[in-house]
Amino acid sequence: MIAVNYLTASALSFLLQGKHLAVSFSSLVRGHDVLTGWNRFSALVMGIPLGVVFLLAFLVYRRALRESGLGLAGGFAKMGILLPMVFSMVFWREFPGALQWLGIGAALAGVALGAFRVGEGRFSAYLLPVFLLNGLAEFGSKVFQRYGNPGEKDFFLMWVFLTAFFCSVLLMAREPGRPSSRSVLLGIPLGLANYFSSWF
């Protein structure tokens, strides 16, 4: 299901590039467009390691769901947004305004209320990696937003999802048995949601 999810997301990011992908590829082959070549190369260099982080975040989250339940695992995953927020303040001096601070506080309060309900779930060793890996995934997208070319967003996402797909196929090859048609069918809408949540 995870592999089909990433294959769907990478196929969608490939298709949505449309004519732009063909034109830029033609320019690269002929050596006419150095800027396009650099933009594409930087998107690839940023996309591949982020794809590994995406898959690791997914796998650790899945394990945390089993051990801690949806409330805690989901809460720690959502709180991962704190990492890019803090890094943005430290590295780029981007400070939220008063209304944004209010929104951040409300969001964290909502996450805490959902995650820490008495008697639901239990703490496990996987919750901290869930927080860190989801935060790193968000931060990787922020780095591309800061240093990449916005016009290459789909090219960047294509490499993120392709890398995650190939890594998940390698993991799947180690497991006995064949994937069920149900897993394949569930992976497609998951991939669509994954793509659009990353794009936006």
Side-chain angles (χ1 to χ4, degrees), residues 17 20-21 24 28 36-44 152 155:
Q17 292 176 79
H20 174 66
L21 181 66
S24 61
L28 283 173
T36 297
W38 171 250
N39 288 338
R40 294 252 143 166
F41 178 72
S42 60
L44 182 146
E152 302 294 348
F155 189 75

Side-chain angles (χ1 to χ4, degrees), residues 127-144:
L127 291 174
L128 182 59
V130 163
F131 169 75
L132 293 173
L133 286 168
N134 277 278
L136 281 176
E138 297 281 357
F139 183 61
S141 298
K142 175 67 178 176
V143 169
F144 176 77

